[in-house]
Amino acid sequence: DIQMTQSPSSLSASVGDRVTITCRASQSISSYLNWYQQKPGKAPNLLIYAASSFQSGVPSRFSGSGSGTDFTLTISSLQPEDFATYYCQQSYSTSWTFGQGTKVEIK
Amino acid sequence: QVTLKESGPVLVKPTETLTLTCTVSGFSLSNARLGVSWIRQPPGKALEWLAHIFSTDEKSYTTSLKSRLTISKDTSKSQVVLTMTNMGPVDTATYYCARTIAGDYYYYMDVWGKGTTVTVSS
């Protein structure tokens, strides 16, 4: 299976900070990479699909980039409602996989 | 409005078979570009994709659990069923179903159910 490795596993940031989360695939996955946000006790919410395409209704402060094996999710100005865990997920192979998650906490 | 709702037992015993049902509304399981995935999350751990099925009856399973999983759909009932055999304590998790979109160069899960919690214990 394709392994997805996120870094960092957790981070502390302040409201207004620019935050970048990286996701690395163990082999090339072209742009078959999605990002999800999950808040405690809730189902995940799709933010970005196909590496850089915005899901309808997602604030413009979220953006995604990358292709091949290296991807990033950027939050341009962190808001209180953005404190959550973020997951990348590849849909390139027949067996899809998620990263281990990055928890964004309040500093 | 697109919604998905998971249903099934709250508690199963070790070695039993788990059967979960995802009932969808707001879209059709016969739509060529749409499918349903199952994903689980053990307490305090990461998400794990389990399986998906599309209108063509194309199915895929996660490699590590392939021998234990079966996914099927009943289009007339708007339901997708996942069975997992030989349940063990490590299978205790919240199980989610999600609508899955198939594009020319992408696949993604855009609408999720609220999840159902399954505990494996004797």
Side-chain angles (χ1 to χ4, degrees):
Chain A
D1 280 4
I2 298 174
Q3 305 303 314
M4 307 300 294
T5 303
Q6 291 181 232
S7 60
S9 295
S10 65
L11 64 91
S12 295
S14 301
V15 173
D17 283 354
R18 181 181 181 89
V19 170
T20 298
I21 298 169
T22 65
C23 179
R24 175 165 288 178
S26 60
Q27 67 181 73
S28 177
I29 57 170
S30 184
S31 295
Y32 288 79
L33 190 283
N34 308 312
W35 290 98
Y36 301 86
Q37 176 195 65
Q38 186 180 33
K39 296 181 180 179
K42 300 293 187 182
N45 182 49
L46 175 69
L47 298 175
I48 302 287
Y49 67 93
S52 60
S53 295
F54 299 97
Q55 172 64 356
S56 175
V58 172
S60 59
R61 61 182 179 273
F62 291 94
S63 63
S65 65
S67 66
T69 60
D70 294 315
F71 302 86
T72 60
L73 174 71
T74 300
I75 310 172
S76 60
S77 178
L78 198 66
Q79 298 301 301
E81 59 268 31
D82 301 337
F83 292 95
T85 299
Y86 295 83
Y87 293 93
C88 62
Q89 175 251 328
Q90 66 81 15
S91 56
Y92 178 79
S93 66
T94 55
S95 181
W96 296 355
T97 46
F98 285 90
Q100 82 278 16
T102 294
K103 187 174 184 179
V104 176
E105 298 175 301
I106 301 172
K107 192 171 187 177
Chain B
Q1 183 188 6
V2 173
T3 64
L4 301 94
K5 186 172 184 178
E6 306 88 349
S7 58
V10 174
L11 180 67
V12 297
K13 291 181 169 54
T15 75
E16 287 186 341
T17 294
L18 171 68
T19 299
L20 295 172
T21 300
C22 178
T23 302
V24 311
S25 63
F27 70 99
S28 172
L29 294 176
S30 62
N31 186 304
R33 296 275 190 174
L34 301 179
V36 171
S37 296
W38 283 96
I39 307 96
R40 72 177 180 180
Q41 186 172 38
K45 295 190 176 181
L47 299 165
E48 179 182 23
W49 176 83
L50 299 176
H52 67 226
I53 187 167
F54 286 94
S55 60
T56 55
D57 214 37
E58 174 203 340
K59 306 167 188 175
S60 289
Y61 299 97
T62 189
T63 303
S64 62
L65 296 170
K66 190 172 184 177
S67 63
R68 297 174 53 203
L69 295 172
T70 302
I71 192 169
S72 62
K73 63 181 174 70
D74 185 330
T75 302
S76 64
K77 293 184 178 179
S78 295
Q79 292 181 333
V80 173
V81 175
L82 182 76
T83 62
M84 182 181 295
T85 61
N86 193 26
M87 294 290 285
V90 297
D91 299 311
T92 292
T94 297
Y95 288 76
Y96 298 98
C97 60
R99 188 177 75 163
T100 304
I101 307 291
D104 290 335
Y105 301 104
Y106 52 78
Y107 295 89
Y108 58 88
M109 297 171 280
D110 70 331
V111 182
W112 295 56
K114 295 184 185 300
T116 186
T117 299
V118 178
T119 300
V120 183
S121 176
S122 55

